[in-house]
Amino acid sequence: MFRTALRNVLAHKARLLMTVLAVMLGVAFVSGTLVFTDTFGSAYKNKSAKSFDHVSVAIEPDGGRDRPEEGGKSTARLTDTLVRKAAAVPGARSALGSVSGFTALADKDGKLVGGNWGSRGANYYPDPEGHDPRWTFVRGKAPASAHEVALDSRTAERTGYRVGDSVRFSTNGSVARAEVAGVFDTDDGNVLAGGSLLLFDNATALRVLGDGEYDEIDVKAAPGTSQSALLHSVRGVLPKDTEARTGAALSAEQDRMIERQTSSTSQVLLVFAGIALFVGIFIIANTFTMLVAQRTRELALLRAVGASRRQVTRSVLTEAFLIGLVAAVAGGVLGIGVAVLLQTLLRAGGAGLPEGPLVLAPRTVLVSLLIGVGVTMTAAWLPGRRAAKIPPVAAMNSVHAAPTVRGLVVRNALGSLVVALGTLLLFMDDNYVVSAGAGIVMVGVIILTPLLSRPFVAAAEPLLRLFGVAGRLARLNAVRNPRRTASTASALMIGLTLITAMTVVATSTSGAIDRMAADSLKADYTVSMANYEPLAPQVNKTVAGLPEVTASSPVRTAYGEVGGSPARLSGVDPESIGSLVAMDLDSGSLRGLRGDAILLDRDTAEERGLRTGDDVTVEFDDDGGRARLRVAGVYRPNDLLNGVYVPTSVVDPHLSEITDEKVLVRMRGGASDKAEDALVKALGSNPALKIQDREAISGEIGGAIDMLLKMLYGLLAMAVLIAVLGVVNTLAMSVFERRHEIGMLRAIGLDRAKVKRMVRLESVVISLFGAVLGVGLGLFLGWVAGGAVGREVPTYRMDVPVSRMLVFLLSAAVVGVLAALWPARGAARLNPLQAIKAE
């Protein structure tokens, strides 16, 4: 039986080609993901380990490298005095202080370089030989005064700055100029990810980035001194609220963080690889079902000469094993190319990835083989089981027996029950249950596709009639075997269902954000720091003094307790806030927010049992002070307006340092290029400041959603490609199966052009059937998912992007035409006489 299986595989190489390709692509997606994440993680770990070469022991504020929590304080003092003490402990060779922070660099057009979060600055701390081991200069020299800076080489390349150029930057809200003294290389992950890094001389960095203190002190061990021994020595000079850790411990912690990051990336990519493999199962099952049908007489004769049912099933599974093995090996090799392609695309998109050799772990090889062989044998099991049930007497009957009606009735009943169960789960409150319900509904629809195919093809009949005999024949071919049509269409349906549902939710969410900005903000502009750090109060004073500004208000953040429970308080100008925001008030008014008053969002009011007119005690974290305030109103919160609002006169006396989160601005004549230009110039064309109108605010969030959607399109493209291979595969094997029939048609006068048209129309019908199912089910699932989003975003409503839906359907029709090119050409080239003689 093994020899029989091997002979069948070799005899049907062409017909198995698409199946091999489908499995190969799915395995390539999996192996490519594993190779990419392993390579990515290994390279970052190597770079991370190198960055700790100069660190034997690190002294940090208690709590590690993270800054103190909001509202919290640290009394740790990492000063030059401590650096000298650390350098003098037994076993220490040297010590250096490290400080870094947000530093906005302007390019030659005055725009921020490195993005909102990626613009950083750090210190150059020379050792006794005058070198800082963290940085390697490729041009120029290190900065030596407050009038000099150094740029990382990536930033210098993309901005065009050279040694000797003057650059503008900002660290604390005020704009400064300095000369580029040098350009350096760095393995800093922030720079590799597209950020920018400026180096200052140590004294300047301490002043503008660290308020006179370092973030960390790194101690290098002398030759012959272990890290643990040096750690013991360093602990003897540690001040209060500091801690010391070895470089090995820091490196291990960094490795664990990289492992978590790469694991998350790998899990996301593997989910989409799983979808692609799931789609491939339909192709494999379809292929083996058709092969078994074409070999009915052969299998029956095997039974007649003594082969048992198990032997026949094992024969089919052996074929599947051989195909899966070939596809898995080819997919594993192709996966290396996928990993290289992913790296190339990410680097081309501006994502800086560290250089490193490709990592092909034994796990990747094993997983590729198990998945390729396992998926193929699983998909082939049911056709193999059907083959075993063929009685010997079938050799006397027609080769192409029609599917039994009883089987379709059972399938339809099961599918209806599955859809009903999934639909019931969709309307539960738990998001995980809803997600499970969506998956169950999709499975139920897949089961029901043979039932749904007949009415769809019937609905398409008027259009098919326009193509004459070829159209009528295409309709008959499409409904001849509903299981086959359904299986082919289901593969395409899965990809389009997910794409449609994601498109609907993303489009609707973007629209909700636009409506929220329009409904909540009357202000024409908001001014904030590019990295959302605190804003100097001078910004509001400058803005308020402009003749073009009709109203402005700072949003000043404080932390404390309202009615005995923690809350974030926003201090605003009570005189102008009413003309800058539009709150949906349940009770009270914004005019009442004067003096000792407070405005509560509905959630806060309900949690504390407060109503308009009640008095409530507020305790402030900064100084522990208290205030007794009257509730001026209760409003409905959203993502732009939420929390507790009080006059700035209430919060200012209790703040240790007065800073603003943002400034709301209303201009005479509204938002315009001229108005924005006036704000930019008044604020010194500061690259650290972000000035946004309502459209930019919603566009910032909507842009992130659109980028995510494009990434999902790219990840689902593999599943759609495999589905297209399924259409090609089904048509090609169907043509081979019907060669006798096609020969008869050719003999009675159907010319080659009409044969091609018949196959193409059949392909288009199947593709459009899958597309209509996918778009329809995707709209339904998008509507269900929108209910969960709507509970969080009050302005959410379902927006159907009709133009995109039409593009999806048109693309499916194009896919049908392209998928039929090879099968149609093969059908048209059949020799009528040889085809008529075929059995």
Side-chain angles (χ1 to χ4, degrees):
M1 295 304 292
F2 176 79
R3 288 197 298 271
T4 301
L6 181 59
R7 178 183 61 79
N8 285 327
V9 170
L10 295 175
H12 301 137
K13 294 189 293 292
R15 278 176 276 171
L16 292 171
L17 176 62
M18 295 300 168
T19 301
V20 172
L21 284 175
V23 179
M24 182 183 74
L25 289 174
V27 171
F29 203 157
V30 173
S31 64
T33 295
L34 296 176
V35 171
F36 171 72
T37 52
D38 287 346
T39 300
F40 175 74
S42 174
Y44 260 116
K45 285 178 182 178
N46 291 337
K47 297 297 184 184
S48 172
K50 185 178 178 181
S51 69
F52 288 107
D53 284 349
H54 68 282
V55 183
S56 301
V57 172
I59 303 172
E60 305 166 319
D62 194 11
R65 296 184 168 207
D66 296 331
R67 295 284 188 177
E69 296 294 329
E70 291 176 337
K73 296 292 180 182
S74 173
T75 59
R77 299 282 295 174
L78 304 186
T79 61
D80 280 315
T81 300
L82 183 58
V83 174
R84 289 191 291 270
K85 287 182 180 179
V89 300
R93 177 181 178 181
S94 62
L96 66 83
S98 174
V99 61
S100 65
F102 175 70
T103 302
L105 171 68
D107 63 17
K108 293 184 177 181
D109 295 324
K111 303 296 183 182
L112 177 66
V113 178
N116 298 342
W117 304 98
S119 300
R120 306 288 296 173
N123 66 320
Y124 185 86
Y125 193 103
D127 59 16
E129 285 91 31
H131 303 292
D132 188 325
R134 296 172 296 174
W135 323 114
T136 303
F137 276 78
V138 292
R139 290 188 296 278
K141 62 182 182 65
S145 71
H147 303 293
E148 293 181 333
V149 295
L151 294 180
D152 70 89
S153 55
R154 290 174 181 265
T155 299
E157 182 179 353
R158 70 175 185 264
T159 58
Y161 285 131
R162 299 180 179 180
V163 174
D165 287 350
S166 176
V167 296
R168 295 172 61 254
F169 64 91
S170 175
T171 58
N172 55 6
S174 58
V175 182
R177 282 188 174 273
E179 181 182 311
V180 178
V183 175
F184 62 95
D185 281 338
T186 176
D187 295 326
D188 184 276
N190 181 66
V191 173
L192 293 176
S196 62
L197 182 62
L198 267 74
L199 292 186
F200 302 94
D201 70 284
N202 192 58
T204 302
L206 280 175
R207 176 171 52 82
V208 301
L209 299 176
D211 293 328
E213 298 179 18
Y214 297 106
D215 299 330
E216 180 181 305
I217 296 174
D218 299 328
V219 187
K220 178 71 174 175
T225 303
S226 67
Q227 291 189 356
S228 56
L230 181 61
L231 176 65
H232 180 74
S233 299
V234 167
R235 282 174 174 163
V237 299
L238 291 182
K240 183 181 178 182
D241 287 342
T242 60
E243 64 175 350
R245 290 188 289 172
T246 64
L250 291 173
S251 181
E253 180 183 324
Q254 187 83 351
D255 286 351
R256 288 191 294 271
M257 183 184 72
I258 294 170
E259 189 71 34
R260 287 194 298 269
Q261 291 174 342
T262 54
S263 176
S264 299
T265 303
S266 177
Q267 288 171 9
V268 171
L269 292 174
L270 288 176
V271 165
F272 288 92
I275 293 170
L277 286 168
F278 182 62
V279 170
I281 286 175
F282 289 90
I283 300 175
I284 301 165
N286 230 13
T287 301
F288 277 93
T289 298
M290 296 174 76
L291 285 174
V292 166
Q294 292 168 17
R295 287 158 43 200
T296 300
R297 182 170 298 180
E298 174 190 329
L299 294 172
L301 287 173
L302 285 173
R303 291 292 313 282
V305 297
S308 67
R309 287 189 176 186
R310 288 185 178 179
Q311 285 179 311
V312 172
T313 302
R314 283 200 296 267
S315 174
V316 175
L317 291 178
T318 300
E319 291 180 48
F321 171 80
L322 294 172
I323 293 167
L325 184 62
V326 171
V329 172
V333 174
L334 183 62
I336 298 174
V338 171
V340 173
L341 178 63
L342 281 172
Q343 285 183 315
T344 303
L345 289 175
L346 287 172
R347 287 196 176 107
L353 298 178
E355 298 289 342
L358 285 173
V359 177
L360 181 61
R363 174 200 61 173
T364 302
V365 177
L366 181 61
V367 168
S368 299
L369 291 174
L370 289 177
I371 287 178
V373 173
V375 167
T376 309
M377 293 185 69
T378 300
W381 176 78
L382 189 57
R385 188 168 173 270
R386 287 179 187 155
K389 289 184 177 181
I390 299 173
V393 73
M396 308 297 296
N397 297 331
S398 173
V399 174
H400 309 302
T404 62
V405 175
R406 179 178 175 274
L408 288 174
V409 170
V410 172
R411 178 170 179 158
N412 294 339
L414 177 61
S416 300
L417 289 174
V418 172
V419 169
L421 173 62
T423 304
L424 182 66
L425 296 178
L426 287 175
F427 295 97
M428 299 295 179
D429 289 334
D430 190 290
N431 288 337
Y432 290 104
V433 175
V434 171
S435 300
I440 292 172
V441 166
M442 187 180 294
V443 171
V445 172
I446 291 170
I447 297 173
L448 287 174
T449 42
L451 175 66
L452 299 172
S453 65
R454 289 187 178 275
F456 177 84
V457 176
E461 184 177 3
L463 291 176
L464 293 174
R465 282 180 182 173
L466 299 176
F467 297 93
V469 174
R472 290 196 295 274
L473 290 171
R475 179 184 66 81
L476 293 172
N477 290 335
V479 297
R480 175 183 297 182
N481 192 326
R483 284 192 180 96
R484 183 183 304 165
T485 299
S487 181
T488 307
S490 294
L492 191 58
M493 181 201 77
I494 294 168
L496 283 177
T497 296
L498 297 173
I499 288 173
T500 300
M502 291 172 182
T503 301
V504 168
V505 173
T507 303
S508 301
T509 302
S510 294
I513 293 166
D514 290 341
R515 287 187 290 274
M516 187 186 298
D519 295 345
S520 301
L521 290 179
K522 295 180 184 177
D524 296 312
Y525 294 100
T526 64
V527 182
S528 62
M529 289 288 285
N531 66 335
Y532 303 101
E533 288 288 321
L535 192 67
Q538 183 60 40
V539 171
N540 180 55
K541 294 178 181 177
T542 301
V543 168
L546 292 177
E548 297 92 343
V549 174
T550 58
S552 69
S553 171
V555 178
R556 195 162 290 165
T557 302
Y559 293 89
E561 292 186 353
V562 175
S565 299
R568 194 188 79 156
L569 298 94
S570 297
V572 295
D573 182 352
E575 301 297 329
S576 58
I577 193 64
S579 61
L580 296 167
V581 299
M583 289 186 172
D584 188 2
L585 290 159
D586 284 343
S587 60
S589 69
L590 278 173
R591 291 189 298 274
L593 191 64
R594 288 175 172 81
D596 293 335
I598 187 171
L599 189 70
L600 304 177
D601 65 274
R602 180 192 286 178
D603 297 337
T604 302
E606 289 179 352
E607 286 173 6
R608 293 158 178 77
L610 296 171
R611 294 181 297 180
T612 299
D614 290 350
D615 289 337
V616 62
T617 300
V618 177
E619 183 173 348
F620 295 90
D621 286 347
D622 268 22
D623 66 348
R626 294 190 175 192
R628 189 74 175 169
L629 305 178
R630 171 184 47 81
V631 178
V634 177
Y635 71 98
R636 299 179 185 179
N638 57 45
D639 284 355
L640 294 179
L641 297 174
N642 55 72
V644 176
Y645 287 86
V646 295
T648 51
S649 59
V650 171
V651 299
D652 286 357
H654 302 285
L655 293 175
S656 57
E657 181 183 6
I658 295 178
T659 56
D660 297 329
E661 177 186 333
K662 58 188 173 184
V663 175
L664 303 176
V665 185
R666 191 162 188 177
M667 308 292 289
R668 183 174 287 105
S672 65
D673 291 341
K674 184 178 179 181
E676 184 173 347
D677 189 54
L679 283 176
V680 170
K681 289 181 178 178
L683 295 172
S685 300
N686 193 331
L689 297 180
K690 183 165 59 175
I691 300 172
Q692 295 177 293
D693 58 15
R694 277 171 286 186
E695 185 178 348
I697 292 172
S698 58
E700 185 174 59
I701 305 173
I705 294 173
D706 191 52
M707 181 179 295
L708 177 62
L709 186 62
K710 289 177 180 177
M711 289 175 60
L712 294 175
Y713 281 171
L715 292 171
L716 285 170
M718 183 69 76
V720 175
L721 175 59
I722 291 175
V724 173
L725 291 177
V727 178
V728 177
N729 194 45
T730 299
L731 289 173
M733 296 190 70
S734 180
V735 166
F736 179 84
E737 188 178 85
R738 302 198 311 259
R739 65 194 185 282
H740 182 87
E741 172 192 318
I742 294 171
M744 290 292 294
L745 291 171
R746 292 276 287 112
I748 62 176
L750 194 69
D751 60 28
R752 288 187 174 185
K754 289 180 180 177
V755 170
K756 287 182 178 181
R757 189 179 305 150
M758 175 187 72
V759 176
R760 281 198 296 266
L761 289 173
E762 181 183 354
S763 176
V764 170
V765 168
I766 293 173
S767 298
L768 281 177
F769 173 48
V772 169
L773 275 183
V775 170
L777 184 57
L779 289 172
F780 175 68
L781 295 181
W783 172 71
V784 172
V789 178
R791 287 193 288 271
E792 303 294 328
V793 184
T795 54
Y796 183 93
R797 69 166 181 258
M798 183 174 172
D799 293 330
V800 179
V802 177
S803 59
R804 289 198 189 186
M805 301 300 105
L806 292 176
V807 168
F808 294 161
L809 294 175
L810 181 61
S811 299
V814 173
V815 162
V817 173
L818 295 177
L821 289 177
W822 176 45
R825 184 168 176 268
R829 294 179 65 185
L830 281 175
N831 185 298
L833 295 178
Q834 291 180 354
I836 290 172
K837 291 191 297 181
E839 295 184 0

